[in-house]
Each structure stands twice: as C-alpha cells, then as structure tokens.
Amino acid sequence: MIAFYKRFLKPLFFGRRFYLLLISIILLFIISYWFSFLFPVAQIFLLFLVGLSLLDYLVLFVGKKRIESERIVSSRFSNGDENKVQITISNHYPFPVFASIVDEVPIQFQKRDFRIRLSVKEGEKISTAYSLRPVERGEYFFNDLHLFIRTPLQLVTRRITQQAEQMVKVLPSYLTLRQYELKAHSSNLAEAGSKRMRKLGHSLEFEQIKEYVRGDDIRTIHWKATARKGQLMVNNYTDERSQQVYCLIDKGRVMKMPFEGMTLLDYAINATLILSKVALIKQDKAGLITFAEQIGNVLPADRKAAQMSHLLEILYRQQTKFQETDFEKLYVLIRTRITQRSLFILFTNFESLSSLQRQLPYIRNIARQHLLLVVFFENTELNQLTGTEVNNMEDLYIKTIAERFAYEKRLIVKELQQHGITTILTAPQNLTINTVNKYLELKAQRAI
C-alpha cells in the first residue's frame, strides 16, 4: 500500500486548467438552481472532466519511466564569477510534454523561486542552462532535481524526482585566472586594462643577437657580429627573471567588510591568484604569506610547476579573523626568513589615518629592505553618498561624514607616499586589474 501511494498518489498534482474547468462546472451547477435545463449540461461536463483527467493520469503514470533528466555541473565553481549549470531532459513519451524544472540549488544562493519552464517534443532530448554566482568559498551541496510533467491536456501533473545530490567546491576565481593567463601568454594584457610603460634603465639579462631595426638602442650594437655579418647587429636583452614576488594577505577583521556580496578578503584572494599566475608567466617566483594576529600560511616564492596548485589549495582555506592584525609579527617573519630583495604586495585596509599610524613603523621597516606595494580599498558606498543631493539636515550630516571618511583615505595615500611607499587605493571590483597593472609597471621600470 505504501509503495502504491509513493508511486501513484504522492507524485500527483492537478494543473491550473483542471481547477479552472472545475470552478466553471461548479458555477454552472449553481446557475442551474435557477435554470434547471443547465443541470444535465453541468453533469455531462463534470463527467467529461473526470474522464479526461483519468485519461491524462493513465497516460502519465502507467508504464515505465518515460522521461529522464540529468544535471551537468563542474566539480568546482569559481568564486565571484558566473558558473554554468546545465540540465538535459529526454522525452520518451509518444507525445510532447510541458516540463517545469525545480532544481534544489545549494542553500547559500537562497533561490526560493527557482523554476525553468520548457516544452519537449516526443523523442526529443534538449538542454537548458542557468548560471550561479557564489560569493564565498567553501563546499556547496546540490540536492534533488524535480520535474513536473504535463501532457497537452494539462489537467494532471506528475512529479518526477531525480536523485542528484552533488558537492561542489567553490575555489578562488580560477575562471578569471584563465583569462589573464591567455592574455599574459599572448602579451595582450592591455585588453584587461593594462598599459604599456616606458622602460627605465637597462636590463642586464642577455637573450640573443639580432639584426638592427629602427628604434633599437645604438648602444647595444655588437661590433664583432656586425663585422662578421656585414650588417648592423645588436644585443637583445630581456626583462630580468626569477625575481621574488610575495603577496601578503591581511586576514584581520578589517578584511571582513563586504562589497557586492564578497568580502575584501575574497577580492584579495582572487587578485593574489591572478597576480601570482602572471608573475610565473613572466618567469618570476611567486610566494604567499597570510597573517592576522598570528602568522598564517607561508609559501616560499618559487616558480615550479606545482606552485599554482599549492597557492590554490592554501587560498581556498583562508578565513577572516576577528582580532586586530599584528604587523610586527609580519615584519619579524620577513626580516628573518626572506633575505633576498623582493616585491611585497600587501593587501590590507585602513579606514582611518590613526589605524595606519599604529602600523606605519613596521610597514616602513619592510619597505627599507624590499620593494613594498600597499593595496587597500575605497569604500564605494561612501563615494556614492558624497555625490548625493542634500535635501535636509540628515542628508547633510550623512554627506559630511562620508566626505570625511573619503578624505581620510586620501590622507592615508599621501602619508604612505611621503615615506616612499608605493600605494594603490582601488575599488574592490577593480582590484585585480589595478594590481596587475602596477606589477607590470614596476617590472617595466626595473624597480624590482
């Protein structure tokens, strides 16, 4: 009895058309109270509706499972990017069906109105897709896939549940990483917002001897090769390689602030992943240090093949802390363990000049021994408030406070620059582009 209920009654639903026809027949019965000749007509319509509904039920429920569905999804998602989920449906009924798909997407997305409607012809297999944008790293669980099937009569609906539990890991933004990797290999990073910089100084890393072309530096003419070839030959130099590039990620409470659903820590992690890949493509060594009130993970700079896998695994597990960051421990670690001059890209955030001044001595000490680039964030919501019109005293108060905080950010930039520390103040959504730009600029200027 339980098996009969689960197979033939539990999946049964009546469609909207059934209820509309039933309401019409009930109204006809009510009207027949005054017009008796309508009573037999209402009875005939009722029997007709019951007969059609029974036929619709038998067509949908009797026989083997005649419709199949499958969810096709990658085993990992890219954090902050649109990730595609594909659903395929095969119709083995001898007639077209109308299907409504309800996918039990992970709870993190809070999609309570998910529904895809489509029509599938007899013997047809079709695919449909939707996209999901996660905003935090971790494990996401898909559950069952539900199909609500109707015949062309659309009186009865059958629910078919496909067991489709699946776990998906949400990793730092590897989709954007691939885009930057292709652009870096093709030397076409300008499409991503990068700009060409005039090179300062002269690289000493020899690459090859080539024929002179207009624009080559005449100081690099190789006279012996010129005499042998009978035409001007010049030495060709390339950018110095194997330089150490460390990303320093602050995991303190200041990095918990959210923008567009993602925390500042997630923006920093995505930028670190992409910047490290670009550095490896440029033949530099990429490393990583995470820190908060204690030192977290330390990955020594290297350019071996497995370096990106190690970076991705470490970045996937990072979480913000709720205590104030200890820059003194970071400085001690760098002084004792990293002796070669390196480029340090510090991802952090300062909301006030006083918060910077507490950490400034340690930041200056790092900058004395290494090339330090401090990257922190604009509060884009405050910038929007500074541009609003003032209609009352409350608006004036809010705008004044917003302008004060924005002014503090500019003071922080000037304070760092006065001590010779390169600084980027950027909106979170532009973090990756601006950081890669600055790295390429420093490489072009031979600053490392």
Side-chain angles (χ1 to χ4, degrees):
M1 187 66 183
I2 296 177
F4 176 84
Y5 168 75
K6 289 183 176 180
R7 182 177 178 183
F8 295 105
L9 297 180
K10 187 177 180 180
L12 172 63
F13 298 87
F14 291 101
R16 182 180 180 183
R17 182 176 295 180
F18 173 86
Y19 288 108
L20 290 175
L21 291 175
L22 183 60
I23 291 172
S24 301
I25 293 172
I26 291 173
L27 292 176
L28 195 59
F29 272 111
I30 294 173
I31 296 173
S32 67
Y33 180 79
W34 293 280
F35 303 96
S36 57
F37 68 91
L38 292 177
F39 186 75
V41 177
Q43 289 179 316
I44 294 172
F45 281 152
L46 179 59
L47 292 174
F48 187 68
L49 177 60
V50 171
L52 281 181
S53 299
L54 183 60
L55 176 63
D56 206 14
Y57 174 84
L58 293 174
V59 168
L60 278 177
F61 282 82
V62 175
K64 297 180 180 180
K65 184 178 179 181
R66 295 187 174 183
I67 195 159
E68 297 176 352
S69 62
E70 181 184 10
R71 182 201 303 121
I72 302 173
V73 60
S74 173
S75 60
R76 59 182 188 174
F77 275 2
S78 177
N79 191 27
D81 298 319
E82 295 291 338
N83 298 267
K84 184 179 179 182
V85 180
Q86 184 176 351
I87 297 176
T88 62
I89 298 178
S90 301
N91 179 19
H92 302 297
Y93 282 104
F95 50 82
V97 298
F98 298 95
S100 294
I101 305 171
V102 177
D103 194 1
E104 293 184 2
V105 299
I107 192 173
Q108 289 91 334
F109 296 106
Q110 290 296 303
K111 282 185 172 286
R112 303 177 185 274
D113 56 349
F114 185 96
R115 187 176 293 270
I116 299 176
R117 293 181 175 87
L118 44 83
S119 175
V120 190
K121 297 179 181 178
E122 60 273 18
E124 185 181 24
K125 180 178 180 179
I126 66 173
S127 296
T128 184
Y130 64 93
S131 61
L132 296 172
R133 180 180 178 268
V135 293
E136 60 183 45
R137 288 162 286 112
E139 294 181 348
Y140 287 52
F141 292 90
F142 285 87
N143 289 307
D144 295 339
L145 185 64
H146 303 278
L147 274 75
F148 294 85
I149 307 301
R150 294 168 293 158
T151 69
L153 292 176
Q154 300 188 41
L155 296 175
V156 174
T157 300
R158 179 183 181 183
R159 182 183 65 189
I160 299 176
T161 299
Q162 180 74 38
Q163 300 294 326
E165 292 85 357
Q166 184 176 358
M167 188 270 286
V168 173
K169 278 189 174 182
V170 176
L171 303 177
S173 182
Y174 65 86
L175 291 181
T176 309
L177 171 64
R178 292 175 182 172
Q179 299 173 6
Y180 273 85
E181 181 179 356
L182 293 173
K183 291 171 183 175
H185 277 302
S186 62
S187 299
N188 200 21
L189 277 165
E191 292 182 5
S194 302
K195 52 187 178 182
R196 297 176 63 89
M197 299 296 299
R198 182 174 66 89
K199 292 186 177 182
L200 304 178
H202 195 292
S203 174
L204 299 178
E205 190 158 335
F206 174 79
E207 184 178 27
Q208 64 178 347
I209 299 174
K210 68 180 187 69
E211 295 181 3
Y212 174 84
V213 295
R214 186 184 297 273
D216 283 340
D217 190 349
I218 60 174
R219 295 174 297 178
T220 63
I221 294 177
H222 194 293
W223 294 108
K224 291 184 179 180
T226 299
R228 288 196 301 267
K229 295 284 291 186
Q231 57 181 344
L232 283 176
M233 304 294 291
V234 295
N235 293 328
N236 188 39
Y237 297 92
T238 186
D239 291 337
E240 294 184 17
R241 301 174 180 177
S242 298
Q243 297 165 324
Q244 294 189 152
V245 179
Y246 277 90
C247 291
L248 314 177
I249 300 181
D250 183 355
K251 299 192 299 180
R253 60 187 177 212
V254 295
M255 299 294 281
K256 186 67 174 177
M257 186 180 297
F259 284 94
E260 297 183 359
M262 291 176 57
T263 64
L264 297 183
L265 178 64
D266 282 313
Y267 281 106
I269 285 173
N270 290 346
T272 295
L273 189 66
I274 293 166
L275 179 64
S276 299
K277 185 62 178 180
V278 172
L280 291 174
I281 292 172
K282 296 297 183 181
Q283 303 299 315
D284 283 337
K285 298 178 180 179
L288 173 68
I289 299 175
T290 65
F291 66 103
E293 76 281 359
Q294 300 289 338
I295 299 298
N297 299 95
V298 179
L299 179 65
D302 206 332
R303 55 173 180 164
K304 56 188 178 183
Q307 190 74 350
M308 285 306 299
S309 298
H310 295 326
L311 276 168
L312 190 61
E313 184 64 26
I314 292 173
L315 293 173
Y316 170 70
R317 301 194 304 266
Q318 300 307 311
Q319 298 294 333
T320 50
K321 307 293 184 180
F322 294 95
Q323 299 180 10
E324 187 173 0
T325 303
D326 191 339
F327 278 79
E328 182 180 6
K329 291 181 179 177
L330 174 66
Y331 166 64
V332 171
L333 172 74
I334 293 174
R335 186 183 62 182
T336 56
R337 296 185 55 176
I338 305 173
T339 56
Q340 179 183 340
R341 178 175 167 82
S342 309
L343 168 62
F344 287 109
I345 301 173
L346 172 61
F347 294 97
T348 186
N349 196 37
F350 298 108
E351 289 296 334
S352 65
L353 189 59
S354 60
S355 64
L356 168 68
Q357 289 172 343
R358 289 197 300 271
Q359 312 297 347
L360 188 57
Y362 310 114
I363 294 175
R364 291 180 61 189
N365 287 335
I366 296 173
R368 288 192 184 102
Q369 301 172 3
H370 303 274
L371 178 59
L372 178 62
L373 170 61
V374 177
V375 183
F376 64 107
F377 299 88
E378 285 183 311
N379 192 324
T380 53
E381 294 182 3
L382 286 180
N383 292 342
Q384 293 175 1
L385 289 175
T386 58
T388 58
E389 295 183 0
V390 176
N391 298 318
N392 50 51
M393 287 299 295
E394 182 181 358
D395 292 344
L396 178 60
Y397 177 78
I398 293 173
K399 184 174 181 178
T400 302
I401 295 299
E403 289 177 347
R404 174 60 184 173
F405 277 107
Y407 178 68
E408 286 265 343
K409 291 281 188 178
R410 295 193 293 271
L411 286 180
I412 293 171
V413 173
K414 289 183 179 179
E415 181 72 18
L416 289 168
Q417 290 176 345
Q418 284 177 356
H419 295 285
I421 300 172
T422 308
T423 307
I424 296 177
L425 175 62
T426 179
Q429 60 269 25
N430 299 327
L431 174 65
T432 300
I433 290 175
N434 291 338
T435 308
V436 171
N437 275 346
K438 181 58 69 172
Y439 163 72
L440 296 176
E441 179 182 333
L442 294 172
K443 286 283 289 183
Q445 293 176 348
R446 322 285 190 198
I448 306 176

